[in-house]
Amino acid sequence: MSIRTLFIPNIIKEKLVSVDNFFYLGICYLTVIIGFGLIYLLFELMGMAVLKEISGGNNNIFETSFYFSAMMLFSVGNGEVIPQGIGRMVAVTEALIGYTLPAAFVAKVMYDKEK
């Protein structure tokens, strides 16, 4: 059995994993990362410091905003970037979405299976 068989929908064997489902999930993650990255970036451009880099190195607000957004969504691993001020509430909201998005994806797949 090859990896390719995991991604080919097969009605007879009732496969739940398909390229369409992974594409849909990937687009959802990408949309959330870009959306929250733009929120962090907007706050920074308005002069409100919401992200603080521990290393103090790069200081590229575009890169830092999207990097932090991805880290909050996927692993809630702050590492070298820490939210501050209102950025904490935005980060909590993004982390909550990051935890519930896989559950929503599984629920969708199971709901589609019952049809």
Side-chain angles (χ1 to χ4, degrees):
M1 188 161 148
S2 69
I3 293 176
R4 185 179 75 82
T5 60
L6 290 173
F7 298 101
I8 299 173
N10 189 346
I11 297 173
I12 297 171
K13 292 183 181 179
E14 297 182 10
K15 298 243 185 230
L16 300 177
V17 181
S18 70
V19 173
D20 293 340
N21 286 339
F22 276 111
F23 181 72
Y24 175 73
L25 185 62
I27 292 297
C28 287
Y29 272 119
L30 188 62
T31 302
V32 173
I33 289 171
I34 291 171
F36 276 94
L38 289 173
I39 290 171
Y40 297 125
L41 182 62
L42 180 64
F43 279 125
E44 291 286 340
L45 291 175
M46 290 173 45
M48 297 175 66
V50 293
L51 300 176
K52 180 181 178 183
E53 287 190 64
I54 298 299
S55 62
N58 194 358
N59 292 331
N60 182 346
I61 59 172
F62 297 100
E63 180 183 326
T64 302
S65 296
F66 293 107
Y67 169 76
F68 181 74
S69 178
M71 289 298 100
M72 285 306 294
L73 187 66
F74 289 129
S75 66
V76 191
N78 295 335
E80 65 272 4
V81 182
I82 297 175
Q84 55 186 8
I86 193 146
R88 290 180 177 181
M89 292 309 296
V90 177
V92 166
T93 304
E94 185 175 10
L96 180 64
I97 291 172
Y99 282 132
T100 58
L101 195 59
F105 175 72
V106 169
K108 178 191 177 305
V109 169
M110 296 308 290
Y111 178 75
D112 289 346
K113 179 185 175 186
E114 291 177 1
K115 284 185 177 181

